[in-house]
Amino acid sequence: MTALDEHPSTPAAEIGRDRRRKEDQRLITGRTRWTDNIVLPGMLHLAMVRSPFAHARILSIDTSAAAEAPNVVSVITGRDVAEEQGGLPNAWPITPDQVTPVHPPIAVDRATFAGEVVAVIVARSAAEARDAAELVDVDYEELPAALDLRAAVEEGAVLAHPDLGTNKSALWVFDSGTAGTGGDVESAIAEARNGGIVLEREYRQQRLIPAFMEPRSVVVDPTGEQVTMWSATQIPHILRFLLAAVTGISESKVRVIAPDVGGGFGGKLQSTPEEFITFLLARRLGKPVKYTETRSESLVAGHHGRDQWQKLTLAATADGTVTGLKVELLADLGSYVALVGGGVPVLGAFMFNAIYKIPAYHFACQTVLTNKTWTDAYRGAGRPEATFGIERIMDELAAEVGVDPLEIREKNWITHEEFPFTTVAGLTYDSGNYEAATARAKEMFGYDELRAEQAKRRESNDPVQLGIGISTFTEMCGLAPSRVLGSLDYGAGGWEHASVRMLATGKVEVVTGASPHGQGHETAFSQIVADRLGVPFEDVEVLHGDTQISHRGLDTYGSRSLVVGGEAVVRAADKVIEKAKVVAAHLLEASVDDLEFSGGRFSVRGTDQGTSIAEVALATFAAHNLPDGVEPSLDSDATYDPVNFSFPHGTHLCAMEIDTETGELNMRKYVACDDIGTVINPLIVAGQVHGGLVQGIAQALWEEAVYDDAGTLVSGSFVDYLLPTAADTISFDIDHTITPATSNTLGTKGVGEAGTIASTPAVVNAVVDAVRHLGVHDIQMPCTPERVWKAINGASAHTPTVEAAAPHFGDADPATQGNQEGAGQ
Ligand code: MCN
């Protein structure tokens, strides 16, 4: 029995309702306060001097001209603060022997990527600080830079950190045979080589930049009893803990506030050098200090995401039943191991088996240090990469067997009767129905009609070919449970905290430890509480993002806020009802056992006697007539730590038209049928899915962080980094099937990353499907018209065979990635 069943007659008026977001009025009318809008008396401003070299020894820094510049208060180099600046934390050492370079906020002797801070100007205005930064004269000795991920692991490679003696940071391995969750993958492959199918494929996950709308900004005020930091961050609570842990200042003397935050996508799941520098200098100078990055700084020095080489070996029987999967990854960490950077591919380790019953599985990831911007979580973090790999190779398997890619998926997926299902990676999927989501997606897409059109175009040799891409994805989200995170050596837990405060007037304040930055928690959580307590939606206020208001929390990432934070809210609200029931029974002169609660009213069963929760709140506030020993407060807290992840899934279908003469791509249709359990706010969810889809499609078609041979980010502005706008996309068709999650009261699953995880392979599968009959089996992302054209023109017309599979991992020349004929650039 769920907690919802305990209040069966509670009207579910709000859950499932298309409420416009409460937050939007203040956001879109400019009546909010972004961090950069904060102005404090006597505030100083910072500008960063950043290394133009990917790898260089800092011989000397002449700050004299900058120090003389108008209104410059101070110029600081790494050497000036070497003793006190500490090192930036890595919260997820994925192996005990992980090689983790010390990460000083300001480089001291050596710059390790182009964009690293080497000196800081403090001035009375931001403009003056920036002008003075131009006057700092740094004498660098340029060093050889480790820039290519695959070259970096070879014998005798250039070292990103020569003192460490290696670029290999950690090797993380999961083996189903050893773990007892499945068989031995090598035996499965050996068996498949004998009459079955073995496919070897390499996929490149290009480097991406989480281009949030609001650049990162931080203000630190050290002038009060506490040091207060405002930061455009996703993680105010974690940041407060880290500031205290690194600097030794008592946590109680540090207050972190995340005001309205303009997007993050994982890019603000970080404790940044800039935050630590601002904190340090504000305390040193005893004055409020602000730093707001420029867009260029954001692109070059905010962390990047993805950047992997994946090698997959899939074993199957001749009819396409998968018997084993081996995954070998190289993951580029950049020049430091970021807060959770090393753990990102580990999250993917649990998702390569996806929705399929794979009897044997081996996963090995080598994380690698290079002289590039450090990488960390970017929307989906590990799971989009895994989903891409498996969904691409399932298409390859279908081509090899000669059946429709949906048929091969159906042959291998977990059927709805088989839930709960423990996978070969050791996770237990609690609920799902892949058949239902696929059937609905096919219907919306007009699958059979489009396949018929595709056949016709192929037959008539139409210059514009049609491709159909499929992605039947699942993901693990709702980051928690603490014990599981602990078993993976993650440095924190995954619980979430909430308080529900009944005000005297019957209005309600909800405090959540989840810290939204665009997700609409104020609206969705108000809907949950309005239903739970039977109060009007408008009467609920949701507070968050200030460690002094919300003293406990683990913030927002990993699509965790609803399934973990929302459940904490439900549990706190239920405690309010239990407390109020005691007072109501007293006021009604009835027994607690005779009371029922529905629609915000306690009534005595079988009578017309009753009182509203608002009346009980007022009576509790007055406290004139409470039962003996009952405290005059209905306020309640809950800290929730789930026992399992949440497993959203869905079927995404994409139709792409490809002009075979020019390589031009045109998305014709995109259908997403996601199962995210109970939907709290369909409008918010649609926004999340749309935004997620665009981000995933952008990886498939447009975005890439490109470095030149010297290690300079050449896609360092929005002119070169192709971030799409609404005008670049089509109108999506979305719908939902619902199999409630069993891990939370409301039956919800997360949605914040689903669109991004699912869409990339759907699009690339569609692109490849359009030209597969021309002999192409892969095109490296982003699938630009040039790459598509080259793949078509360099390819012979035959279908890839087992023998002609992709080059062996580690030996492949990046220039020939794309298909076995080496034309997919
Ligand atoms: N929701 C719902 N019903 C569901 C599931 C979710 O109504 N069954 C609502 C939730 O109440 C919440 C929103 O959808 O308002 C997203 O919920 P959830 O899936 O819990 O995700 P989080 O709130 O934890 O958000 C994190 C997720 C991640 S990891 C990234 S990255 C991301 C994303 O959200 N970054 C975003 N969405 C973003 N949206 C915006 N605008 N900006 C970002 O930076």
Side-chain angles (χ1 to χ4, degrees):
M1 177 156 148
T2 67
L4 198 63
D5 296 326
E6 287 163 27
H7 309 293
S9 50
T10 302
E14 285 295 337
I15 290 180
R17 187 166 168 181
D18 268 339
R19 280 276 185 194
R20 287 187 179 211
R21 301 197 316 181
K22 287 182 172 188
E23 317 53 359
D24 286 345
Q25 207 180 14
R26 70 172 188 271
L27 294 174
I28 62 180
T29 56
R31 283 189 293 112
T32 191
R33 198 189 249 187
W34 308 107
T35 302
D36 190 49
N37 297 137
I38 292 165
V39 176
L40 300 175
M43 190 166 74
L44 300 171
H45 298 261
L46 301 187
M48 306 296 166
V49 179
R50 295 178 184 276
S51 168
F53 298 112
H55 197 190
R57 191 164 291 121
I58 301 166
L59 299 178
S60 65
I61 303 184
D62 182 355
T63 59
S64 53
E68 295 298 309
N71 283 321
V72 167
V73 174
S74 182
V75 185
I76 307 286
T77 67
R79 274 184 205 149
D80 296 334
V81 290
E83 297 304 311
E84 55 182 307
Q85 67 173 339
L88 287 162
N90 163 237
W92 197 346
I94 57 172
T95 59
D97 61 352
Q98 175 180 282
V99 174
T100 313
V102 176
H103 187 173
I106 310 176
V108 181
D109 298 317
R110 212 163 41 88
T112 64
F113 71 95
E116 184 160 15
V117 178
V118 296
V120 185
I121 311 285
V122 190
R124 297 204 191 284
S125 74
E128 286 163 320
R130 276 185 203 144
D131 285 350
E134 302 283 317
L135 304 174
V136 174
D137 188 7
V138 186
D139 191 9
Y140 294 102
E141 178 197 338
E142 207 178 339
L143 299 169
L147 296 171
D148 181 77
L149 171 57
R150 293 191 299 187
V153 290
E154 276 165 18
E155 199 63 25
V158 169
L159 296 178
H161 295 270
D163 52 316
L164 298 177
T166 179
N167 290 322
K168 294 182 181 176
S169 177
L171 177 67
W172 195 91
V173 179
F174 175 87
D175 185 89
S176 64
T178 318
T181 54
D184 172 44
V185 90
E186 295 302 343
S187 322
I189 294 169
E191 203 170 309
R193 286 200 195 281
N194 204 0
I197 298 170
V198 177
L199 293 176
E200 291 182 13
R201 292 290 184 270
E202 287 189 44
Y203 298 119
R204 170 78 176 135
Q205 286 287 324
Q206 79 271 33
R207 185 176 269 253
L208 299 178
I209 305 181
F212 32 75
M213 201 182 286
E214 180 203 15
R216 297 170 307 158
S217 179
V218 52
V219 174
V220 176
D221 182 3
T223 57
E225 178 63 21
Q226 289 173 315
V227 182
T228 303
M229 174 185 280
W230 290 262
S231 183
T233 179
Q234 295 175 222
I235 52 163
H237 296 90
I238 294 176
L239 184 56
R240 175 169 84 146
F241 168 77
L242 294 174
L243 286 168
V246 169
T247 63
I249 300 174
S250 159
E251 231 175 314
S252 58
K253 298 286 182 204
V254 181
R255 176 182 184 185
V256 177
I257 303 172
D260 276 323
V261 176
F265 309 114
K268 291 174 181 166
L269 197 190
Q270 200 57 255
S271 57
T272 68
E274 293 84 355
E275 283 165 338
F276 276 81
I277 293 167
T278 311
F279 191 79
L280 180 92
L281 293 185
R283 292 186 62 232
R284 230 183 190 222
L285 299 164
K287 293 241 168 82
V289 173
K290 180 195 281 184
Y291 170 71
T292 301
E293 68 187 359
T294 62
R295 178 61 67 186
S296 309
E297 286 180 297
S298 185
L299 294 175
V300 79
H303 75 242
H304 294 172
R306 313 279 192 265
D307 209 345
Q308 293 181 357
W309 274 106
Q310 312 174 314
K311 182 187 176 192
L312 275 69
T313 309
L314 186 83
T317 57
D319 72 345
T321 304
V322 178
T323 53
L325 176 67
K326 183 173 165 188
V327 177
E328 293 156 275
L329 294 189
L330 290 180
D332 193 339
L333 297 175
S335 78
Y336 295 110
V337 193
L339 189 63
V340 296
V344 167
V346 173
L347 288 175
F350 298 95
M351 285 287 109
F352 272 95
N353 53 294
I355 65 169
Y356 307 113
K357 290 179 277 188
I358 299 181
Y361 176 52
H362 179 90
F363 172 95
C365 175
Q366 176 70 62
T367 58
V368 182
L369 296 160
T370 59
N371 293 112
K372 291 186 184 168
T373 302
W374 22 304
T375 58
D376 204 315
Y378 172 48
R379 203 169 192 171
R383 292 152 290 158
E385 296 92 316
T387 305
F388 182 87
I390 184 69
E391 288 304 287
R392 286 286 298 110
I393 208 165
M394 288 307 271
D395 261 32
E396 294 300 293
L397 181 60
E400 189 65 29
V401 178
V403 295
D404 187 291
L406 270 179
E407 198 180 314
I408 214 80
R409 286 168 169 81
E410 200 171 338
K411 187 185 273 296
N412 288 286
W413 70 33
I414 301 156
T415 62
H416 70 275
E417 302 93 359
E418 291 174 290
F419 287 93
F421 185 90
T422 300
T423 74
V424 74
L427 294 181
T428 300
Y429 296 173
D430 61 337
S431 72
N433 189 332
Y434 309 139
E435 299 96 312
T438 303
R440 177 70 188 121
K442 275 179 80 176
E443 181 188 335
M444 289 158 72
F445 193 66
Y447 190 82
D448 297 335
E449 293 79 356
L450 283 168
R451 279 281 181 219
E453 182 187 328
Q454 179 184 45
K456 228 189 215 166
R457 285 183 190 241
R458 281 193 186 171
E459 236 164 71
S460 65
N461 218 8
D462 193 324
V464 177
Q465 289 291 320
L466 183 67
I468 294 172
I470 298 158
S471 168
T472 45
F473 85 105
T474 189
E475 56 150 327
M476 61 192 269
C477 68
L479 285 193
S482 300
R483 280 189 193 175
V484 177
L485 297 179
S487 72
L488 294 172
D489 301 312
Y490 176 62
W495 48 263
E496 195 46 88
H497 181 77
S499 307
V500 174
R501 310 201 287 231
M502 285 303 297
L503 305 181
T505 52
K507 313 284 183 207
V508 185
E509 280 175 348
V510 177
V511 182
T512 172
S515 193
H517 42 281
Q519 291 86 354
H521 295 171
E522 291 170 32
T523 307
F525 288 11
S526 293
Q527 289 177 270
I528 293 171
V529 171
D531 268 5
R532 211 75 194 163
L533 298 182
V535 297
F537 168 78
E538 293 74 17
D539 285 358
V540 186
E541 209 61 52
V542 177
L543 311 174
H544 56 78
D546 177 344
T547 58
Q548 198 136 296
I549 292 169
S550 149
H551 69 294
R552 279 167 67 74
L554 285 172
D555 307 317
T556 289
Y557 43 85
S559 304
R560 68 189 301 275
S561 301
L562 178 60
V563 295
V564 191
E567 178 67 11
V569 167
V570 166
R571 289 174 183 231
D574 285 351
K575 287 185 188 172
V576 168
I577 296 167
E578 288 315 305
K579 280 185 171 182
K581 202 182 232 181
V582 175
V583 178
H586 180 74
L587 297 175
L588 295 166
E589 295 179 355
S591 152
V592 168
D593 296 337
D594 291 338
L595 288 196
E596 56 190 27
F597 181 68
S598 168
R601 232 183 131 65
F602 292 98
S603 41
V604 184
R605 227 171 261 119
T607 75
D608 58 0
Q609 270 189 305
T611 181
S612 71
I613 193 162
E615 287 164 333
V616 176
L618 186 60
T620 308
F621 171 73
H624 297 164
N625 180 20
L626 297 181
D628 288 344
V630 167
E631 63 171 6
S633 169
L634 302 180
D635 298 353
S636 298
D637 283 7
T639 302
Y640 176 63
D641 196 349
V643 290
N644 200 355
F645 298 100
S646 143
F647 301 101
H649 71 83
T651 298
H652 289 217
L653 298 172
C654 172
M656 295 289 295
E657 287 176 352
I658 307 285
D659 186 328
T660 54
E661 289 173 352
T662 62
E664 192 187 330
L665 304 101
N666 176 34
M667 187 177 288
R668 172 133 148 227
K669 197 163 194 171
Y670 196 102
V671 162
C673 181
D674 292 318
D675 186 334
I676 53 164
T678 307
V679 174
I680 303 301
N681 183 324
L683 205 55
I684 289 181
V685 163
Q688 288 294 315
V689 173
H690 286 189
L693 291 180
V694 176
Q695 255 166 332
I697 293 168
Q699 172 168 17
L701 299 180
W702 301 302
E703 292 184 24
E704 179 164 21
V706 179
Y707 283 83
D708 67 12
D709 291 347
T712 305
L713 181 69
V714 290
S715 56
S717 82
F718 282 157
V719 175
D720 309 290
Y721 190 82
L722 295 185
L723 194 71
T725 67
D728 298 306
T729 61
I730 60 168
S731 190
F732 306 121
D733 298 318
I734 69 167
D735 199 2
H736 301 280
T737 48
I738 297 177
T739 50
T742 61
S743 52
N744 63 77
T745 307
L746 300 175
T748 59
K749 308 174 191 176
V751 75
E753 296 157 293
T756 309
I757 293 170
S759 56
T760 312
V763 176
V764 178
N765 278 342
V767 173
V768 174
D769 187 55
V771 292
R772 188 182 285 283
H773 63 295
L774 303 174
V776 178
H777 78 75
D778 195 22
I779 297 171
Q780 195 175 303
M781 296 187 290
C783 300
T784 58
E786 186 191 355
R787 283 181 173 165
V788 172
W789 187 89
K790 282 185 173 170
I792 295 169
N793 286 281
S796 63
H798 68 80
T799 316
T801 61
V802 179
E803 290 74 27
H808 193 269
F809 197 59
D811 301 328
D813 173 359
T816 61
Q817 269 300 310
N819 58 37
Q820 85 279 14
E821 288 82 14
Q825 277 297 287

